Amino acid sequence: MEESIRKQLRELLQQEVVLATGCTEPGAVALCVAKACETLGREPEKIELLLSKNVFKNAMGVGIPGTGMIGLPIAVAIAVVAGDSSRQLEVLTVPQDKVEKAKQWLANNGSRINIGVKESGDKLYIECICKSGSDTAIAIICYKHTHFIHVSLNGKETEDCSAQPLNAASEVPESHDNFDLQLTARMVYDYATTSPIEELEFIRETVKYNDAAATEGLKGYGLKTGKILMENAAGDIVHTVVARTVAASDARMDGCTFPVYSNSGSGNQGIACTLPVYNYGKAKNCTDEQITRALVLNHLMSIYIKRGIGRLSALCGLVNASIGVTCGIVYLHGGCFEQMCYAIKNMINTLAGMVCDGAKPSCALKMSTGLYSAFVSAELAYHDCVVDATDGLSESDVDCSIRNLGRLGHDGMDLVDDTVLDILTHKQ
């Protein structure tokens, strides 16, 4: 593989695999509020949020780190009281005294916050309008969780947002996307398996953080999915690997303050792309190099698939992450590229219909479903068993199969998004 291509793929990984605290949608909303407040220069008298339905759906029911509360109001309060936009997706990580101050602010000023849904051409859209007296500050995030496209005070732009780099955005028009490589499964495989190992070792940093969240999660967060599965794993490697992984999701979605490495803007995807392959490789006595290459293969394959689906979709992000997992498992078993493609096709025909019905503690259940499917699909693959090209979304060419999944997630799920949001906002 050419050095220039390797460099671009490394940059892609480093842009999409980043540290984040809590669910990324509330984090991105808090980031936008913090920026608007900083631009206003004082505490706002009124805060209006206009969110795309995907952001709204993923932020309304998830735990906010360190607060014991769910939803956007407390995330907004933290941004007002202690927000610092330079912290990006760690903006919600604040000392406990600031959390208590934010709770008090919310109790006294909750009526200042108005949150609504805005029809947007992009599925990731956050607009914050802060007003105080005659002054109005506006901040808008679009395309990616940390990408501002507009910041203004009283109608005058205060930042040149066009100068911000926007690499590797999932559903951004080509004119905004500086990543110009046309990814393929072969390219991803070759990069992970043939690049100099010292160029790939940065991915090991994900293990330290994501495994710490798993250890914390095993204490019992959310539905206690990981804790209960671990207590009944009886030493089985697959059950143990799945239990430890979903425990990290239990913790993260229930408001644990531990940061995790995310993938494509999702902490759950980052957890799924890291812990199963790492812990399975350790259990199978694979070498450090094999595990490192499997981690890169897992993360980058998930990114490749997610680019076609879109950064936010009604298709659960654990679909692409779990497909990445099955690729890593096949590699750790000594499987070849063709067998990896078999596993991908098996997974596409298994998980294509798993819908995202909002970020919440029970996301750990979907993660377990994706991971168990990944092990089954991989086992079939390294026994050279693959779904027929005539089955479902699968085709003889693996990249065509991936594009079909992307089309389903990006274009075919719009009505599903509307229906899910309607259900979530009209529960009895």
Side-chain angles (χ1 to χ4, degrees):
M1 176 175 285
E2 295 179 10
E3 184 177 351
S4 61
I5 295 177
R6 287 208 322 269
K7 181 180 178 182
Q8 288 188 68
L9 292 175
R10 178 187 172 92
E11 290 175 350
L12 174 61
L13 268 171
Q14 291 177 323
Q15 290 154 6
E16 294 287 24
V17 182
V18 298
L19 202 60
T21 301
C23 182
T24 40
E25 275 69 58
V29 171
L31 172 62
C32 196
V33 173
K35 175 70 78 172
C37 288
E38 290 165 0
T39 303
L40 187 64
R42 58 187 184 276
E43 185 176 304
E45 297 170 357
K46 182 179 180 182
I47 301 168
E48 182 177 8
L49 284 168
L50 299 173
L51 313 174
S52 60
K53 54 180 175 279
N54 296 80
V55 172
F56 186 91
K57 175 183 69 177
N58 282 350
M60 62 184 295
V62 71
I64 306 302
T67 68
M69 300 172 69
I70 65 170
L72 283 176
I74 185 60
V76 171
I78 291 174
V80 172
V81 169
D84 178 358
S85 65
S86 69
R87 292 182 57 78
Q88 299 280 286
L89 289 181
E90 292 188 78
V91 68
L92 289 173
T93 304
V94 298
Q96 195 59 36
D97 64 314
K98 298 293 186 182
V99 171
E100 296 305 318
K101 187 176 179 181
K103 289 182 177 180
Q104 188 61 48
W105 184 93
L106 182 62
N108 295 330
N109 303 289
S111 60
R112 297 189 192 184
I113 304 170
N114 183 51
I115 303 171
V117 175
K118 180 172 181 175
E119 292 297 327
S120 170
D122 194 89
K123 295 179 181 179
L124 200 168
Y125 182 90
I126 304 165
E127 180 176 349
C128 179
I129 305 167
C130 287
K131 296 182 178 181
S132 182
S134 60
D135 294 325
T136 299
I138 299 175
I140 301 175
I141 287 175
C142 195
Y143 309 137
K144 297 182 71 176
H145 291 84
T146 59
H147 183 75
F148 287 93
I149 63 168
H150 177 87
V151 181
S152 67
L153 178 63
N154 297 328
K156 183 178 180 180
E157 291 195 17
T158 59
E159 294 186 18
D160 182 9
C161 294
S162 63
Q164 293 188 39
L166 180 55
N167 296 328
S170 300
E171 52 188 283
V172 182
E174 286 187 11
S175 60
H176 292 285
D177 190 354
N178 297 330
F179 185 78
D180 56 5
L181 274 182
Q182 183 65 47
L183 286 171
T184 65
R186 181 88 234 188
M187 185 185 297
V188 170
Y189 179 83
D190 287 348
Y191 173 76
T193 59
T194 67
S195 294
I197 189 63
E198 60 271 15
E199 292 184 12
L200 306 178
E201 288 177 342
F202 69 91
I203 203 69
R204 306 272 305 197
E205 185 73 4
T206 61
V207 175
K208 177 175 67 175
Y209 284 88
N210 293 3
D211 196 53
T215 299
E216 180 68 13
L218 287 171
K219 296 177 181 178
Y221 281 74
L223 290 179
K224 302 180 179 62
T225 312
K227 184 176 187 290
I228 292 171
L229 290 179
M230 185 65 80
E231 289 171 350
N232 294 277
D236 181 87
I237 292 176
V238 171
H239 291 318
T240 300
V241 167
V242 172
R244 187 163 187 86
T245 304
V246 301
S249 177
D250 283 326
R252 176 178 174 271
M253 304 307 284
D254 198 35
C256 174
T257 58
F258 284 42
V260 300
Y261 267 90
S262 61
N263 181 300
S264 303
S266 165
N268 274 345
Q269 289 173 56
I271 290 167
C273 288
T274 302
L275 295 182
V277 166
Y278 173 76
N279 287 314
Y280 188 70
K282 285 293 187 183
K284 287 294 187 178
N285 297 314
C286 296
T287 66
D288 285 347
E289 178 173 339
Q290 288 173 317
I291 293 173
T292 297
R293 294 190 184 278
L295 285 169
V296 170
L297 178 60
N298 190 162
H299 274 282
L300 191 55
M301 188 64 73
S302 179
I303 291 167
Y304 165 37
I305 297 168
K306 187 64 172 174
R307 283 172 65 82
I309 295 171
R311 191 159 297 268
L312 292 179
S313 168
L315 189 66
C316 179
L318 291 167
V319 172
N320 50 278
S322 300
I323 295 174
V325 173
T326 205
C327 294
I329 294 168
V330 170
Y331 174 78
L332 290 174
H333 269 274
C336 63
F337 172 74
E338 185 175 20
Q339 289 171 323
M340 186 195 76
C341 293
Y342 292 169
I344 292 172
K345 294 177 187 178
N346 290 342
M347 284 293 283
I348 288 175
N349 275 29
T350 303
L351 291 182
M354 192 157 73
V355 170
C356 171
D357 54 346
K360 58 206 175 301
S362 61
C363 285
L365 291 173
K366 291 186 178 180
M367 185 179 290
S368 68
T369 297
L371 297 184
Y372 282 123
S373 296
F375 280 100
V376 171
S377 293
E379 187 169 355
L380 291 174
Y382 49 76
H383 285 88
D384 295 320
C385 184
V386 61
V387 296
D388 290 335
T390 55
D391 285 5
L393 303 184
S394 182
E395 296 194 34
S396 56
D397 180 80
V398 69
D399 293 299
C400 289
S401 302
I402 290 171
R403 284 195 291 273
N404 291 343
L405 178 65
R407 182 182 171 192
L408 175 70
H410 190 277
D411 301 327
M413 288 285 189
D414 285 345
L415 181 58
V416 175
D417 256 337
D418 291 335
T419 304
V420 168
L421 182 61
D422 185 66
I423 291 171
L424 295 181
T425 55
H426 292 88
K427 289 186 177 182
Q428 299 297 316

